[in-house]
Amino acid sequence: MFLTKSLKSPFYQVVYEVNGKRTTKSTKTNNQEKAKRFMAEFEQSISIPTTINSVLTLNQFKNEYINYMKAACSNKYMKQIDYTFLKFGMYIGNLDLAQIHLHSIDNFIMSIFSKTPYLAHLHYRILKAAFSKAVDWNYITVNPFKKIKFPRIPKTIPVFITQNEFNIIIAYTNDKVLRDLFKVAFNTGMRLAELVNMRLNWIDFHNRLIKIKCDSHFSTKSKKERIIPMNNNVFDILMNTDLIINLDDYIFRKVPGVKLNNDYVSKNFKKCVRAAGLDDKIHFHTLRHSFASVLIRKGVSLYIIKELLGHEDLSTTQVYSHLQQQNLMSAVKLL
């Protein structure tokens, strides 16, 4: 319930819902304080009914929730939602939403946490958000996932590599397409999915910019487009790729019109890492972490790095703040 004002009336209107349908009632005053008092009295005088659908099953809700989320989430995250519901359904069965109790949820989360804490946390976050939406839709009265106190997961510092280590890694591939892709990843911080989907029409050579676009073929993790400036290394690589006539064709491809497979790229990068005898914790996503770490060490602010990496929240970027602290300590030592 809230107050609003429109061009149709000089008076404040009380907006509220009845059985999921939004309706209004005039306060018959254009004074905000009087309108607030009217709304408080009106709220006490009525009982707004709600309809709880207690016969909706977990699978029915899953299908409705997935259809709702498609417009806001990437294909990768939609697969994670689907997998989470699948595992949860396999554990508790296709119960009515109102029959899913805290004890069963607790057991499900802890059974996974004992093996893979990070996967358990992902399942917890997805289901907690989904059941909050079930409350909004009046399928249940309370979200049982909000009553669970999830165990702490130790935060680990991302693995990153230096320019010298990167040079050693790429020396172990003779594939020019992969080598160029690795170099662009190290110099832009782009995600693997963004790199394999990068098309010629993303590239603005005149202004030296890469415009990561969302369209019917691809969308970023956040569903938001962003711009990444090209340094000289990236500019030279993209200027010297094989001739591409079609603006919609992929930059990195073996066959025109056919994009590279994510697993193919990541597995080949891992082969190079192992051939170089470097830490086995280094994987393709390490290139993204390395891009951020290089910028941090050169004094670039976390906010700018957040924009370059396409993080929605600064808290995600703050995983690199330990490097910033090292820079601050080095600066103080100069005094």
Side-chain angles (χ1 to χ4, degrees), residues 242-254:
D242 294 338
L243 180 63
I244 302 176
I245 300 175
N246 185 352
L247 287 175
D248 288 327
D249 204 356
Y250 301 103
I251 293 291
F252 301 112
R253 79 272 193 267
K254 300 293 184 70

Side-chain angles (χ1 to χ4, degrees), residues 39-101:
M39 182 174 68
E41 293 171 1
F42 178 69
E43 190 172 12
Q44 292 178 354
S45 68
I46 66 171
S47 176
I48 301 176
T50 58
T51 302
I52 302 297
N53 183 353
S54 60
V55 296
L56 192 77
T57 66
L58 180 64
N59 284 344
Q60 288 172 328
F61 173 64
K62 166 191 170 181
N63 293 333
E64 186 174 348
Y65 182 69
I66 285 178
N67 285 331
Y68 168 77
M69 293 295 289
K70 278 180 181 177
C73 299
S74 65
N75 291 334
K76 182 179 178 181
Y77 192 66
M78 292 307 304
K79 289 178 181 178
Q80 290 174 336
I81 294 175
D82 186 65
Y83 178 71
T84 293
F85 270 95
L86 175 65
K87 297 298 289 186
F88 188 49
M90 289 173 62
Y91 188 87
I92 68 166
N94 188 29
L95 299 176
D96 293 347
L97 290 189
Q99 295 178 331
I100 299 175
H101 300 301

Side-chain angles (χ1 to χ4, degrees), residues 2-6 8-15 24-29 35 39:
F2 60 92
L3 288 174
T4 189
K5 211 173 183 184
S6 69
K8 295 181 180 179
S9 170
F11 304 136
Y12 280 97
Q13 306 291 318
V14 177
V15 181
T24 62
K25 184 173 180 64
S26 175
T27 64
K28 297 184 179 180
T29 178
M39 182 174 68

Side-chain angles (χ1 to χ4, degrees), residues 182-222:
F182 297 161
K183 288 180 180 179
V184 173
F186 187 79
N187 285 276
T188 63
M190 291 172 65
R191 298 182 177 94
L192 176 54
E194 294 168 347
L195 287 158
V196 298
N197 281 281
M198 182 163 59
R199 301 165 189 267
L200 186 59
N201 60 25
W202 289 17
I203 313 301
D204 180 350
F205 286 107
H206 178 71
N207 294 301
R208 295 197 171 205
L209 298 173
I210 298 174
K211 300 177 180 180
I212 301 179
K213 299 180 181 181
C214 297
D215 53 33
S216 58
H217 303 288
F218 170 77
S219 63
T220 63
K221 187 176 181 180
S222 63

